Amino acid sequence: MNRSLFVPQRMEIVKVTDEVATHDIFTFELAPLGGGIAPYLPGQFAELSVFGAGEAPFGYASSPHETGTVRFTVKRMGALTRELHRLGPGAVVGMRGPLGNPFPLDRFEGRDLIVVGGGYAFTTLRSLIATLLTDKHRKRAGRITLFYGVRHPGLFLYKGELDRWRTAKELSLHLTVDAADETWKGPVKLVPDLVRDTAPATENAVAVVCGPPAMIRFTLPVLETLGVGEENILISMERKMKCGVGMCGRCNLGPRFVCKDGPVFTLKELRELTDDY
Amino acid sequence: MTRTNTSDRSWTLPAGALPDLLAALAATCELWTPRPVGGGTRFLPHGEDRPLDLAQTPPAHSVKAVLFPNPETLFTYRRNGNDVALTPPEPDGRSLIVFGARACDARAVAALDAVFLGRSIPDPAYLERRERLCLVGLACVSPAATCFCHRMGSGPFDASGMDVQIVPLDDIYVFHLLTKRGEACLAPFRDRFEAADGDTLKKVAATKAGLEGAEPSVDFTALKDAVKQHRDDPYWETLAAACLGCGICTFLCPVCSCFSITDTGNRRGGRRVRYWDACMFPAFTKEASGHNPRGDEPARVKQRFFHKFYYSIENGEPPGCVGCGRCVIHCPAGIDIREIVSRFQPEAAS
């Protein structure tokens, strides 16, 4: 009998990267101890365990073509993440995943993609973009327009990678901050305003939105005004989760569960399901 | 109802012989019986420490606690240097007999099955117990004033979900063997019983007939459609104003199965456990960031009833209420789920 649904895979931390100026967001690179890495796709998530502190869900920050290890970017926020942030290379944590459904990569074929991210929720979008820039997907995707905003310049995740993306010909990168410092030469505005002012072409576009609730709330009408239909706006939802498989009962949006039916929903679906998105 | 009424599947036992039968079952099986703890009867591992209570209707606590224990160990962890050993609990090979469950609790098992066995991966601990389960049910001959199983599509003699149904007559119990599992559990004790004769079966039928004719069942699809239209109804605020958010309704409900998962122990060793949680608590959905999608009482009250009468039906699962009336009895604010059903389907209340 399978007794392993709630028993996580043991993973060794092989690298910890301090991502931001506030030193409260770390990327953990994990290698399996016994067994391989279960196949996953961008948009899916895993429950990470710190034994003694519990378990919480995090989206994969790594991309499936980056084999051998997986990465998760975690902000220090509550009891579990505080314990996780104390761990370094060699420590063993637990992982249950992948859980949930990935971004519908098939739907992106031949379409332009507008990606809108804010804050540390960008981690899942990093996995998506890195995947779409691989040889396998690059030829089939249209143009990618990426909007990414943070409160101040020191808070951008994956800075080295953002520098490389700046010159990638498949992708046009638009970064913004709420408040600038002396190093910042880009726009100082909120993400929804940046999307509105940039006004990417929407005739053949699918939009993906992932970020804090306020950013999502104000970005959606901008995308609709620009001409992206509600069935072509995809939102990666976050909710408190425990089981990750549709049993524990807390992450529902109406009759559906973010964990097993999401976390990716279209705006059309969300409007039918709930008032809170 | 009972699959057959031929006497080879209906046995009688003198009422005085029940304690010995239970002792014999407990010797070879994992046996749970309803016994009083304080003022409320609950299902406990069988023993002589407390008397059997087949009278309290329904028992204060449901069968849920047997199939979905609170708390339950998912695994133990023990750190060894940097590494950690994870050990799930050992399964129990014995039959699991729950004795004396009423129709409401037996029906609720189907709703628990939908959650724990109906997802992409079955819950291993629940499945392990479910595969061992033999539900020996008890027909209700004196339903409480708060019982409304008829309206929830059932009745005091409903045997769905039972492997054996017992009907108490004056000084005997009539055991109806309904499934192969029920037969297998009782076959070793066949010589303690007598085959039920025609007169006995007539008495059973008469008892049953005397308890029928109560209110008709609601139409669950119509109820779902009505509830669904009331997402913005100020009624939820009225209910929430009375609700204390104590969660007693969810804990006593035989269907409510929401849980949380936490670690108990320290960094060196301990257990990961799941325990009953409730949609009535603000922390149920509160995220580490502080954001809470169901941060106010009306949203939580609505969630409870939407889950029972809208989401379950919409997802093709059994209704979230079996009409046991426990929440009606115990709600300190007097919230009555029957009134909520009537509000959205007034025609069925006539």
Side-chain angles (χ1 to χ4, degrees), chain B residues 193-215:
Chain B
F193 295 89
E194 286 184 23
D197 59 24
D199 281 352
T200 303
L201 294 178
K202 269 183 206 157
K203 276 188 201 164
V204 168
T207 308
K208 183 178 163 185
L211 288 156
E212 282 171 353
E215 297 165 300

Side-chain angles (χ1 to χ4, degrees), chain A residues 2-3 6 8 10 49 52 54-55 77 90 92 239-240 242 245-248 250 252 254-255 272-273 275, chain B residues 75 77 82-84 89 119 121 123-124 231 258-261 263 272 277 283-284 286 293-294 303 311 315:
Chain A
N2 169 27
R3 296 190 66 81
F6 291 111
R10 291 172 308 129
S49 284
E55 199 177 42
M77 208 63 166
V92 175
R239 279 292 183 274
K240 183 173 181 175
K242 288 291 180 178
V245 291
M247 295 178 187
C248 78
R250 55 173 54 55
N252 68 300
E272 285 160 13
L273 290 170
D275 308 321
Chain B
F75 59 85
Y77 63 90
N82 256 339
D83 204 356
V84 62
R119 305 293 185 245
I121 310 167
D123 180 80
R231 203 155 91 174
C258 290
F259 60 85
S260 190
I261 297 175
D263 287 359
R272 177 155 299 164
D277 204 346
F284 187 60
K286 188 179 175 187
R294 289 200 287 269
Q303 161 68 18
Y311 306 155
N315 289 329

Side-chain angles (χ1 to χ4, degrees), chain A residues 43 45 99-102 235 237 241 244-247 251-266 269-270 273, chain B residues 118-120 311 315 317:
Chain A
F45 67 95
L99 300 165
N101 302 293
I235 300 157
M237 296 298 290
M241 297 174 188
V245 291
M247 295 178 187
C251 73
N252 68 300
L253 302 173
R256 295 173 72 187
F257 289 104
V258 171
C259 65
K260 81 173 179 67
D261 302 313
V264 181
F265 294 91
T266 65
E269 289 173 309
L270 287 181
L273 290 170
Chain B
R119 305 293 185 245
S120 60
Y311 306 155
N315 289 329
E317 294 172 3

Side-chain angles (χ1 to χ4, degrees), chain B residues 175-198:
Chain B
F175 284 59
H176 295 299
L177 280 59
L178 306 173
T179 65
K180 285 197 160 32
R181 181 168 305 188
E183 283 176 32
C185 280
L186 292 180
F189 311 100
R190 176 68 183 88
D191 57 358
R192 295 167 186 252
F193 295 89
E194 286 184 23
D197 59 24

Side-chain angles (χ1 to χ4, degrees), chain B residues 210-246:
Chain B
L211 288 156
E212 282 171 353
E215 297 165 300
S217 172
V218 301
D219 174 339
F220 282 105
T221 306
L223 180 61
K224 176 205 74 174
D225 291 339
V227 169
K228 198 173 172 175
Q229 300 308 315
H230 289 78
R231 203 155 91 174
D232 302 318
D233 194 328
Y235 176 60
W236 304 115
E237 285 171 30
T238 311
L239 271 187
C243 177
L244 305 179
C246 71

